[in-house]
Amino acid sequence: MNNPDKLNILRSLTNGEILTQPFTHTVVDSFLPNKLAEKLFEEFPDFNDDVWFNYNNKIEDKKLLSDWRKFPEHTYQLFTFLNSPAVLEIVSTMFGARVYPDHGLHGGGWHIHANGGKLNPHLDYSIHPTLKQQRKVNLIIYLCKDWKEKYGGHFGLYEQAKEGKRSGNLVKEISMGFNKAVLFDTTQKSWHGLSREVKCPENVFRKSLAVYYVSKPRDGVD
């Protein structure tokens, strides 16, 4: 990544409107320089490659890879920059709390869904298992090329149910796209998931990159 690419990403981070319902979030189109986004898209392994870790259960059907040793040049450099002090400073300002990187990409990295892919409404883990910090902000970059609305896979934001520890009504849907980023606060009963099952052709995939930022745990955090 060159310096102009880095400056463009920093500008993109400050361009999104901060919204508060059902929890604090922002959506940024054209988040990355387009040439960089194209390179990142091409670096994704084939869906059937053995490199993936497969999640297939009642809650989710997706594949993930968070091993830095497997990332090609541009992907490796992007994850490095997204964990850099310059990015952390902006994200901290956006969400009103000092955030720190998770260099291990626990739960982050490459994500991919094929036809039939799903991720039910859920809350993310609260306390990082090894850093012992509270998960604070998710940054997800969607690289869904040639995606059509009918392919589904929308990112859904849900309210907290009035009774019980579960999601309530779907409040907002964000359609997929190429080079679209979503950032959101994970500490505000932030129920999220795929509001629509992925229904795409065999040669099309819902691709995304995810980075999670942590902060000092609040008093009494679960």
Side-chain angles (χ1 to χ4, degrees), residues 32-44:
L32 303 167
N34 194 60
K35 288 184 179 179
L36 176 59
E38 292 281 353
K39 292 174 182 177
L40 293 166
F41 177 85
E42 294 298 332
E43 286 187 344
F44 264 74

Side-chain angles (χ1 to χ4, degrees), residues 15-194:
N15 285 340
E17 179 185 4
I18 300 295
L19 306 171
T20 60
Q21 296 300 322
F23 45 82
T24 304
H25 69 282
T26 186
V27 182
V28 184
D29 292 315
S30 301
F31 181 74
L32 303 167
N34 194 60
K35 288 184 179 179
L36 176 59
E38 292 281 353
K39 292 174 182 177
L40 293 166
F41 177 85
E42 294 298 332
E43 286 187 344
F44 264 74
D46 184 82
F47 183 78
N48 294 315
D49 196 300
D50 291 338
V51 73
W52 295 106
F53 184 85
N54 189 30
Y55 287 89
N56 192 343
N57 50 60
K58 293 181 180 180
I59 296 174
E60 58 193 339
D61 186 354
K62 68 176 184 180
K63 294 184 178 183
L64 175 150
L65 179 68
S66 57
D67 186 345
W68 283 85
R69 297 169 298 176
K70 306 293 177 59
F71 294 142
E73 176 186 354
H74 301 289
T75 301
Y76 194 106
Q77 291 182 8
L78 177 67
F79 280 128
T80 299
F81 181 63
L82 293 178
N83 283 316
S84 70
V87 173
L88 295 171
E89 185 66 31
I90 293 176
V91 175
S92 296
T93 300
M94 292 171 65
F95 289 89
R98 174 61 59 185
V99 299
Y100 304 94
D102 171 17
H103 292 297
L105 292 178
H106 181 71
W110 273 330
H111 292 186
I112 191 169
H113 293 80
N115 183 51
K118 65 179 182 178
L119 179 61
N120 292 352
H122 65 283
L123 297 176
D124 291 331
Y125 69 81
S126 180
I127 300 298
H128 193 286
T130 49
L131 294 176
K132 305 306 179 185
Q133 298 289 300
Q134 184 174 12
R135 184 156 161 180
K136 176 62 179 176
V137 176
N138 287 7
L139 165 57
I140 306 174
I141 305 169
Y142 296 105
L143 296 175
C144 304
K145 202 169 185 180
D146 301 321
W147 199 261
K148 298 180 180 179
E149 189 79 3
K150 66 181 180 181
Y151 294 167
H154 293 54
F155 180 69
L157 288 72
Y158 299 79
E159 64 183 6
Q160 167 75 38
K162 294 181 179 179
E163 297 182 2
K165 190 176 181 179
R166 58 186 178 84
S167 62
N169 294 326
L170 174 65
V171 175
K172 182 175 182 177
E173 279 189 314
I174 299 171
S175 60
M176 291 297 93
F178 185 72
N179 199 9
K180 175 185 288 188
V182 177
L183 293 94
F184 62 98
D185 190 321
T186 62
T187 68
Q188 302 174 341
K189 298 181 180 179
S190 309
W191 291 91
H192 61 282
L194 271 63

Side-chain angles (χ1 to χ4, degrees), residues 208-222:
S208 61
L209 299 96
V211 175
Y212 306 140
Y213 302 106
V214 297
S215 63
K216 182 179 178 181
R218 298 173 300 173
D219 292 338
V221 65
D222 187 347

